Amino acid sequence: DQSNCSCMVSGTPKSRQWTEASGLPILPDGYDFSLVLYCPAVTMRSMNAPPSVHVSLVLFHTPVETVLKTINSLLCSAQYALERETIEGLHLAIVDNSMDAGYFAQIKPSCQALELPSPLVTLSVQQSKANLGYGAGHNLPNLTAASDIYLILNPDVEMSAEALLESVSVLNSEPSAVAVAPSATGGDGNREYLCKRYPTVWVLLLRAFAPAWLQARYAAALTHYDMSDVCTGDHHVDVELASGCYMFVQGEALRQSGGFDDRYFMYFEDFDLSMRLRELGRIVYAPEVKVIHHGGYAARKGLRHVFYFIRSGVRFFSQHGWRWI
C-alpha cells in the first residue's frame, strides 16, 4: 500500500546514493538527479521484529579512556535494550581518522578486548585511508551497511542505560519521525542544549567569540537559537537542527537523504544533514533519551578549529540560505 508515499526529485552527489535493488551505494564521482520515493508505511516501525541498529564512531586522536567510556556506555545500553527485546542486534563500526599507526595500534586492541554483552552485539575497528573529515568518516561504514536504524555517535558521549530503548520507542510512537535528538548534560553536570533553530551569522559570532557581558545582553537571541525556551520540559519537541554527537536516524531516511555531505570537513555537517532529513520527516527532541556530552565549542579548541568552523559555516549558508541577524 503506497497511498501514503510521497515522491520528490532531489539532486545529490552520486557517492551518497543507494541503489533500490541492492541497498548498496553507487560510488562513482559526479552529480546526479534522482527520483526518491519515500514510503512511511514501509519503514522500520512497521515491522513486527525489533530493529537492527548500526552505530558509527569516528576517532581522531581521541584519548583511549574516553573512547572506552563511550563504548562501555553503549554496550550497557545495548544489553538493556536486548534484554527487553527492543532491538534485534547492534553493530558498532569504529573508524580511526587519526592517520597515526601508533594510535591505531593502541586503540584497536583496546576496543577488541572489550567484553560484548551478547553474540548479537558485534564490533569492528578500521583505519581510514585518508582523513576526509567527520562526516566522511561516518559515511565510510554507513554507506555499505543495511540497517533499520543508524546511530551517529561522538566518542565523547556517554549514554544512559535506557538511551537505546527510549530512542527506539520514540521512533515507534512518533509516526512521522525520522530522527531522535537526546537531552544532554555536560561533563560538569550542567544542562546542554544540542538542538538548534536555523542560525544567523550574528548569533554564531556571539556564541563562539563574544565575551560574557555581550552574550548576556543578547541572551534572548541565544536562547532562541539553542531552543532552551522549549527543550526544557518532559514532552517531545519538533526541532529544526540536531547535533551530530548523537543522531538516532531511521534507516530508510538516512539512505534516502544520502548521509553526510563529505564536502563539510568538520562543523555544520550535522546541520546540513538535518535539513535534508526534515524533507523526509520530523526530527524529535526526546527528553527521556539522556546522554552526557564531554565536547566543547570550536573557539575553545584553537585557531585550526576556528578556520574549519568559518569555512563550513560559509558553505552551509551558501547552500541553505544566508541569515545575518
Side-chain angles (χ1 to χ4, degrees):
D1 178 9
Q2 295 185 354
S3 59
N4 293 323
C5 295
S6 60
C7 183
M8 69 179 180
V9 176
S10 65
T12 53
K14 283 186 177 179
S15 60
R16 300 198 313 277
Q17 287 292 303
W18 277 261
T19 62
E20 181 181 357
S22 66
L24 296 176
I26 302 173
L27 296 175
D29 295 330
Y31 199 86
D32 185 33
F33 284 93
S34 59
L35 184 67
V36 176
L37 185 67
Y38 182 63
C39 302
V42 193
T43 64
M44 174 276 301
R45 295 187 299 281
S46 66
M47 297 179 183
N48 293 323
S52 58
V53 180
H54 184 275
V55 186
S56 54
L57 196 70
V58 175
L59 314 179
F60 183 78
H61 294 291
T62 314
V64 174
E65 61 182 36
T66 300
V67 176
L68 295 182
K69 281 184 179 180
T70 294
I71 296 176
N72 279 321
S73 73
L74 171 66
L75 296 180
C76 287
S77 193
Q79 181 176 8
Y80 187 88
L82 282 167
E83 288 173 349
R84 288 153 183 81
E85 299 183 348
T86 306
I87 63 174
E88 177 186 57
L90 179 144
H91 178 73
L92 169 60
I94 303 167
V95 178
D96 177 26
N97 267 359
S98 302
M99 306 304 296
D100 182 335
Y103 177 80
F104 187 68
Q106 184 180 12
I107 194 68
K108 182 177 182 179
S110 297
C111 294
Q112 291 177 332
L114 291 170
E115 183 178 353
L116 303 180
S118 164
L120 299 175
V121 177
T122 56
L123 178 152
S124 63
V125 187
Q126 66 183 111
Q127 188 175 35
S128 55
K129 296 181 179 179
N131 180 13
L132 300 178
Y134 180 81
H138 282 283
N139 283 345
L140 186 61
N142 290 345
L143 285 174
T144 54
S147 184
D148 298 320
I149 295 174
Y150 296 88
L151 172 57
I152 296 159
L153 189 65
N154 259 23
D156 58 2
V157 169
E158 292 182 68
M159 301 164 53
S160 70
E162 302 84 6
L164 280 177
L165 181 148
E166 297 290 2
S167 296
V168 172
S169 297
V170 175
L171 288 184
N172 285 333
S173 64
E174 298 279 359
S176 57
V178 295
V180 179
S183 172
T185 58
D188 56 5
N190 292 326
R191 180 68 187 274
E192 288 191 0
Y193 296 95
L194 300 179
C195 300
K196 302 291 186 291
R197 292 186 174 97
Y198 196 96
T200 65
V201 174
W202 170 240
V203 81
L204 290 178
L205 292 174
L206 277 175
R207 183 177 169 87
F209 305 113
W213 66 267
L214 189 58
Q215 290 184 350
R217 182 174 179 178
Y218 292 96
L222 293 170
T223 296
H224 178 80
Y225 170 61
D226 67 16
M227 299 196 72
S228 56
D229 55 333
V230 293
C231 292
T232 53
D234 58 359
H235 57 282
H236 293 174
V237 177
D238 283 11
V239 300
E240 293 182 42
L241 306 172
S243 168
C245 77
Y246 184 102
M247 296 184 79
F248 196 83
V249 187
Q250 197 270 336
E252 187 63 22
L254 186 68
R255 287 187 285 273
Q256 292 188 18
S257 72
F260 284 112
D261 184 339
D262 53 20
R263 293 174 297 178
Y264 292 85
F265 182 80
M266 183 183 295
Y267 301 113
F268 290 92
E269 68 284 306
D270 48 358
F271 285 11
D272 170 71
L273 178 56
S274 295
M275 296 291 288
R276 287 181 281 113
L277 285 172
R278 284 178 57 238
E279 295 177 356
L280 301 172
R282 298 157 52 222
I283 300 176
V284 177
Y285 161 76
E288 65 269 32
V289 180
K290 300 183 185 302
V291 303
I292 300 173
H293 181 219
H294 298 280
Y297 299 125
R300 300 173 187 169
K301 298 180 179 179
L303 291 177
R304 179 178 297 180
H305 281 260
V306 171
F307 167 75
Y308 292 144
F309 183 84
I310 293 173
R311 184 177 67 177
S312 292
V314 170
R315 177 177 293 280
F316 176 81
F317 284 119
S318 298
Q319 187 174 350
H320 296 286
W322 288 85
R323 297 184 188 178
W324 294 96
I325 299 176

PDB file of all heavy atoms in Angstrom, residues 92-115:
ATOM      1  N   LEU A  92      28.707  -2.080  16.091  1.00  0.00           N
ATOM      2  CA  LEU A  92      29.455  -0.841  16.292  1.00  0.00           C
ATOM      3  C   LEU A  92      30.630  -0.818  15.324  1.00  0.00           C
ATOM      4  O   LEU A  92      31.498  -1.694  15.367  1.00  0.00           O
ATOM      5  CB  LEU A  92      29.957  -0.745  17.736  1.00  0.00           C
ATOM      6  CG  LEU A  92      30.967   0.370  18.032  1.00  0.00           C
ATOM      7  CD1 LEU A  92      30.386   1.746  17.727  1.00  0.00           C
ATOM      8  CD2 LEU A  92      31.452   0.283  19.476  1.00  0.00           C
ATOM      9  N   ALA A  93      30.648   0.183  14.443  1.00  0.00           N
ATOM     10  CA  ALA A  93      31.742   0.362  13.489  1.00  0.00           C
ATOM     11  C   ALA A  93      32.580   1.553  13.932  1.00  0.00           C
ATOM     12  O   ALA A  93      32.099   2.694  13.947  1.00  0.00           O
ATOM     13  CB  ALA A  93      31.195   0.586  12.094  1.00  0.00           C
ATOM     14  N   ILE A  94      33.827   1.285  14.296  1.00  0.00           N
ATOM     15  CA  ILE A  94      34.742   2.329  14.758  1.00  0.00           C
ATOM     16  C   ILE A  94      35.701   2.676  13.630  1.00  0.00           C
ATOM     17  O   ILE A  94      36.344   1.795  13.060  1.00  0.00           O
ATOM     18  CB  ILE A  94      35.528   1.859  15.998  1.00  0.00           C
ATOM     19  CG1 ILE A  94      34.564   1.454  17.119  1.00  0.00           C
ATOM     20  CG2 ILE A  94      36.490   2.937  16.475  1.00  0.00           C
ATOM     21  CD1 ILE A  94      35.221   0.703  18.253  1.00  0.00           C
ATOM     22  N   VAL A  95      35.771   3.953  13.293  1.00  0.00           N
ATOM     23  CA  VAL A  95      36.640   4.428  12.223  1.00  0.00           C
ATOM     24  C   VAL A  95      37.670   5.382  12.817  1.00  0.00           C
ATOM     25  O   VAL A  95      37.321   6.387  13.443  1.00  0.00           O
ATOM     26  CB  VAL A  95      35.836   5.152  11.124  1.00  0.00           C
ATOM     27  CG1 VAL A  95      36.768   5.675  10.031  1.00  0.00           C
ATOM     28  CG2 VAL A  95      34.786   4.222  10.531  1.00  0.00           C
ATOM     29  N   ASP A  96      38.935   5.068  12.626  1.00  0.00           N
ATOM     30  CA  ASP A  96      40.015   5.924  13.115  1.00  0.00           C
ATOM     31  C   ASP A  96      40.499   6.831  11.988  1.00  0.00           C
ATOM     32  O   ASP A  96      41.069   6.367  11.003  1.00  0.00           O
ATOM     33  CB  ASP A  96      41.168   5.067  13.647  1.00  0.00           C
ATOM     34  CG  ASP A  96      42.352   5.915  14.093  1.00  0.00           C
ATOM     35  OD1 ASP A  96      42.136   7.089  14.466  1.00  0.00           O
ATOM     36  OD2 ASP A  96      43.483   5.409  14.065  1.00  0.00           O
ATOM     37  N   ASN A  97      40.266   8.129  12.148  1.00  0.00           N
ATOM     38  CA  ASN A  97      40.689   9.125  11.168  1.00  0.00           C
ATOM     39  C   ASN A  97      42.038   9.751  11.511  1.00  0.00           C
ATOM     40  O   ASN A  97      42.460  10.710  10.862  1.00  0.00           O
ATOM     41  CB  ASN A  97      39.652  10.257  11.079  1.00  0.00           C
ATOM     42  CG  ASN A  97      38.626  10.029   9.988  1.00  0.00           C
ATOM     43  OD1 ASN A  97      38.676   9.039   9.268  1.00  0.00           O
ATOM     44  ND2 ASN A  97      37.667  10.935   9.870  1.00  0.00           N
ATOM     45  N   SER A  98      42.720   9.212  12.512  1.00  0.00           N
ATOM     46  CA  SER A  98      43.924   9.861  13.034  1.00  0.00           C
ATOM     47  C   SER A  98      45.110   9.800  12.084  1.00  0.00           C
ATOM     48  O   SER A  98      46.027  10.623  12.182  1.00  0.00           O
ATOM     49  CB  SER A  98      44.317   9.234  14.378  1.00  0.00           C
ATOM     50  OG  SER A  98      43.268   9.336  15.315  1.00  0.00           O
ATOM     51  N   MET A  99      45.116   8.807  11.209  1.00  0.00           N
ATOM     52  CA  MET A  99      46.250   8.618  10.303  1.00  0.00           C
ATOM     53  C   MET A  99      47.559   8.469  11.072  1.00  0.00           C
ATOM     54  O   MET A  99      48.598   8.998  10.696  1.00  0.00           O
ATOM     55  CB  MET A  99      46.349   9.779   9.301  1.00  0.00           C
ATOM     56  CG  MET A  99      45.077  10.042   8.516  1.00  0.00           C
ATOM     57  SD  MET A  99      44.498   8.582   7.621  1.00  0.00           S
ATOM     58  CE  MET A  99      45.864   8.352   6.487  1.00  0.00           C
ATOM     59  N   ASP A 100      47.497   7.749  12.170  1.00  0.00           N
ATOM     60  CA  ASP A 100      48.638   7.564  13.066  1.00  0.00           C
ATOM     61  C   ASP A 100      48.710   6.083  13.417  1.00  0.00           C
ATOM     62  O   ASP A 100      47.866   5.563  14.154  1.00  0.00           O
ATOM     63  CB  ASP A 100      48.447   8.420  14.317  1.00  0.00           C
ATOM     64  CG  ASP A 100      49.614   8.344  15.292  1.00  0.00           C
ATOM     65  OD1 ASP A 100      50.345   7.336  15.290  1.00  0.00           O
ATOM     66  OD2 ASP A 100      49.789   9.295  16.082  1.00  0.00           O
ATOM     67  N   ALA A 101      49.733   5.397  12.893  1.00  0.00           N
ATOM     68  CA  ALA A 101      49.852   3.953  13.107  1.00  0.00           C
ATOM     69  C   ALA A 101      50.002   3.617  14.574  1.00  0.00           C
ATOM     70  O   ALA A 101      49.480   2.600  15.047  1.00  0.00           O
ATOM     71  CB  ALA A 101      51.037   3.407  12.311  1.00  0.00           C
ATOM     72  N   GLY A 102      50.690   4.471  15.308  1.00  0.00           N
ATOM     73  CA  GLY A 102      50.886   4.222  16.732  1.00  0.00           C
ATOM     74  C   GLY A 102      49.584   4.291  17.499  1.00  0.00           C
ATOM     75  O   GLY A 102      49.307   3.445  18.366  1.00  0.00           O
ATOM     76  N   TYR A 103      48.769   5.301  17.178  1.00  0.00           N
ATOM     77  CA  TYR A 103      47.469   5.422  17.853  1.00  0.00           C
ATOM     78  C   TYR A 103      46.572   4.242  17.499  1.00  0.00           C
ATOM     79  O   TYR A 103      45.914   3.658  18.373  1.00  0.00           O
ATOM     80  CB  TYR A 103      46.796   6.740  17.471  1.00  0.00           C
ATOM     81  CG  TYR A 103      45.420   6.910  18.078  1.00  0.00           C
ATOM     82  CD1 TYR A 103      45.266   7.314  19.396  1.00  0.00           C
ATOM     83  CD2 TYR A 103      44.266   6.639  17.329  1.00  0.00           C
ATOM     84  CE1 TYR A 103      44.007   7.450  19.962  1.00  0.00           C
ATOM     85  CE2 TYR A 103      43.011   6.783  17.882  1.00  0.00           C
ATOM     86  CZ  TYR A 103      42.880   7.191  19.201  1.00  0.00           C
ATOM     87  OH  TYR A 103      41.630   7.325  19.758  1.00  0.00           O
ATOM     88  N   PHE A 104      46.526   3.883  16.223  1.00  0.00           N
ATOM     89  CA  PHE A 104      45.678   2.771  15.794  1.00  0.00           C
ATOM     90  C   PHE A 104      46.112   1.468  16.452  1.00  0.00           C
ATOM     91  O   PHE A 104      45.268   0.646  16.836  1.00  0.00           O
ATOM     92  CB  PHE A 104      45.725   2.633  14.276  1.00  0.00           C
ATOM     93  CG  PHE A 104      44.751   1.634  13.729  1.00  0.00           C
ATOM     94  CD1 PHE A 104      43.384   1.868  13.787  1.00  0.00           C
ATOM     95  CD2 PHE A 104      45.200   0.447  13.156  1.00  0.00           C
ATOM     96  CE1 PHE A 104      42.476   0.938  13.284  1.00  0.00           C
ATOM     97  CE2 PHE A 104      44.304  -0.479  12.651  1.00  0.00           C
ATOM     98  CZ  PHE A 104      42.932  -0.233  12.716  1.00  0.00           C
ATOM     99  N   ALA A 105      47.412   1.279  16.611  1.00  0.00           N
ATOM    100  CA  ALA A 105      47.928   0.066  17.264  1.00  0.00           C
ATOM    101  C   ALA A 105      47.521   0.006  18.725  1.00  0.00           C
ATOM    102  O   ALA A 105      47.488  -1.072  19.323  1.00  0.00           O
ATOM    103  CB  ALA A 105      49.449   0.017  17.143  1.00  0.00           C
ATOM    104  N   GLN A 106      47.209   1.155  19.291  1.00  0.00           N
ATOM    105  CA  GLN A 106      46.758   1.206  20.685  1.00  0.00           C
ATOM    106  C   GLN A 106      45.244   1.064  20.797  1.00  0.00           C
ATOM    107  O   GLN A 106      44.740   0.300  21.628  1.00  0.00           O
ATOM    108  CB  GLN A 106      47.204   2.525  21.323  1.00  0.00           C
ATOM    109  CG  GLN A 106      46.872   2.642  22.805  1.00  0.00           C
ATOM    110  CD  GLN A 106      47.324   3.972  23.385  1.00  0.00           C
ATOM    111  OE1 GLN A 106      47.675   4.896  22.654  1.00  0.00           O
ATOM    112  NE2 GLN A 106      47.305   4.074  24.704  1.00  0.00           N
ATOM    113  N   ILE A 107      44.512   1.783  19.940  1.00  0.00           N
ATOM    114  CA  ILE A 107      43.055   1.817  20.091  1.00  0.00           C
ATOM    115  C   ILE A 107      42.397   0.526  19.617  1.00  0.00           C
ATOM    116  O   ILE A 107      41.421   0.059  20.226  1.00  0.00           O
ATOM    117  CB  ILE A 107      42.458   3.037  19.344  1.00  0.00           C
ATOM    118  CG1 ILE A 107      41.017   3.261  19.779  1.00  0.00           C
ATOM    119  CG2 ILE A 107      42.530   2.869  17.828  1.00  0.00           C
ATOM    120  CD1 ILE A 107      40.837   3.710  21.194  1.00  0.00           C
ATOM    121  N   LYS A 108      42.918  -0.110  18.548  1.00  0.00           N
ATOM    122  CA  LYS A 108      42.262  -1.299  18.015  1.00  0.00           C
ATOM    123  C   LYS A 108      42.215  -2.446  19.017  1.00  0.00           C
ATOM    124  O   LYS A 108      41.122  -2.979  19.299  1.00  0.00           O
ATOM    125  CB  LYS A 108      42.937  -1.739  16.715  1.00  0.00           C
ATOM    126  CG  LYS A 108      42.269  -2.947  16.068  1.00  0.00           C
ATOM    127  CD  LYS A 108      42.913  -3.314  14.733  1.00  0.00           C
ATOM    128  CE  LYS A 108      42.198  -4.496  14.091  1.00  0.00           C
ATOM    129  NZ  LYS A 108      42.791  -4.848  12.771  1.00  0.00           N
ATOM    130  N   PRO A 109      43.356  -2.864  19.611  1.00  0.00           N
ATOM    131  CA  PRO A 109      43.269  -3.962  20.580  1.00  0.00           C
ATOM    132  C   PRO A 109      42.493  -3.582  21.841  1.00  0.00           C
ATOM    133  O   PRO A 109      41.860  -4.451  22.454  1.00  0.00           O
ATOM    134  CB  PRO A 109      44.735  -4.282  20.891  1.00  0.00           C
ATOM    135  CG  PRO A 109      45.494  -3.065  20.508  1.00  0.00           C
ATOM    136  CD  PRO A 109      44.756  -2.457  19.371  1.00  0.00           C
ATOM    137  N   SER A 110      42.528  -2.297  22.214  1.00  0.00           N
ATOM    138  CA  SER A 110      41.778  -1.864  23.396  1.00  0.00           C
ATOM    139  C   SER A 110      40.282  -2.052  23.180  1.00  0.00           C
ATOM    140  O   SER A 110      39.556  -2.489  24.081  1.00  0.00           O
ATOM    141  CB  SER A 110      42.078  -0.399  23.709  1.00  0.00           C
ATOM    142  OG  SER A 110      43.435  -0.220  24.035  1.00  0.00           O
ATOM    143  N   CYS A 111      39.812  -1.734  21.986  1.00  0.00           N
ATOM    144  CA  CYS A 111      38.393  -1.902  21.679  1.00  0.00           C
ATOM    145  C   CYS A 111      38.030  -3.372  21.500  1.00  0.00           C
ATOM    146  O   CYS A 111      36.984  -3.830  21.973  1.00  0.00           O
ATOM    147  CB  CYS A 111      38.032  -1.116  20.418  1.00  0.00           C
ATOM    148  SG  CYS A 111      38.154   0.679  20.585  1.00  0.00           S
ATOM    149  N   GLN A 112      38.894  -4.117  20.836  1.00  0.00           N
ATOM    150  CA  GLN A 112      38.600  -5.528  20.590  1.00  0.00           C
ATOM    151  C   GLN A 112      38.645  -6.359  21.864  1.00  0.00           C
ATOM    152  O   GLN A 112      38.062  -7.451  21.911  1.00  0.00           O
ATOM    153  CB  GLN A 112      39.585  -6.080  19.557  1.00  0.00           C
ATOM    154  CG  GLN A 112      39.386  -5.520  18.161  1.00  0.00           C
ATOM    155  CD  GLN A 112      40.407  -6.018  17.167  1.00  0.00           C
ATOM    156  OE1 GLN A 112      41.532  -6.342  17.530  1.00  0.00           O
ATOM    157  NE2 GLN A 112      40.019  -6.088  15.890  1.00  0.00           N
ATOM    158  N   ALA A 113      39.309  -5.851  22.888  1.00  0.00           N
ATOM    159  CA  ALA A 113      39.398  -6.585  24.155  1.00  0.00           C
ATOM    160  C   ALA A 113      38.157  -6.417  25.019  1.00  0.00           C
ATOM    161  O   ALA A 113      37.997  -7.118  26.029  1.00  0.00           O
ATOM    162  CB  ALA A 113      40.634  -6.117  24.941  1.00  0.00           C
ATOM    163  N   LEU A 114      37.265  -5.512  24.638  1.00  0.00           N
ATOM    164  CA  LEU A 114      36.061  -5.281  25.427  1.00  0.00           C
ATOM    165  C   LEU A 114      35.153  -6.510  25.407  1.00  0.00           C
ATOM    166  O   LEU A 114      35.032  -7.191  24.386  1.00  0.00           O
ATOM    167  CB  LEU A 114      35.302  -4.072  24.890  1.00  0.00           C
ATOM    168  CG  LEU A 114      35.981  -2.712  25.089  1.00  0.00           C
ATOM    169  CD1 LEU A 114      35.252  -1.636  24.292  1.00  0.00           C
ATOM    170  CD2 LEU A 114      36.010  -2.350  26.565  1.00  0.00           C
ATOM    171  N   GLU A 115      34.523  -6.786  26.526  1.00  0.00           N
ATOM    172  CA  GLU A 115      33.597  -7.913  26.623  1.00  0.00           C
ATOM    173  C   GLU A 115      32.235  -7.478  26.102  1.00  0.00           C
ATOM    174  O   GLU A 115      31.605  -6.563  26.639  1.00  0.00           O
ATOM    175  CB  GLU A 115      33.474  -8.383  28.068  1.00  0.00           C
ATOM    176  CG  GLU A 115      32.576  -9.589  28.243  1.00  0.00           C
ATOM    177  CD  GLU A 115      32.518 -10.074  29.685  1.00  0.00           C
ATOM    178  OE1 GLU A 115      33.282  -9.538  30.519  1.00  0.00           O
ATOM    179  OE2 GLU A 115      31.706 -10.973  29.964  1.00  0.00           O
TER     180      GLU A 115
END
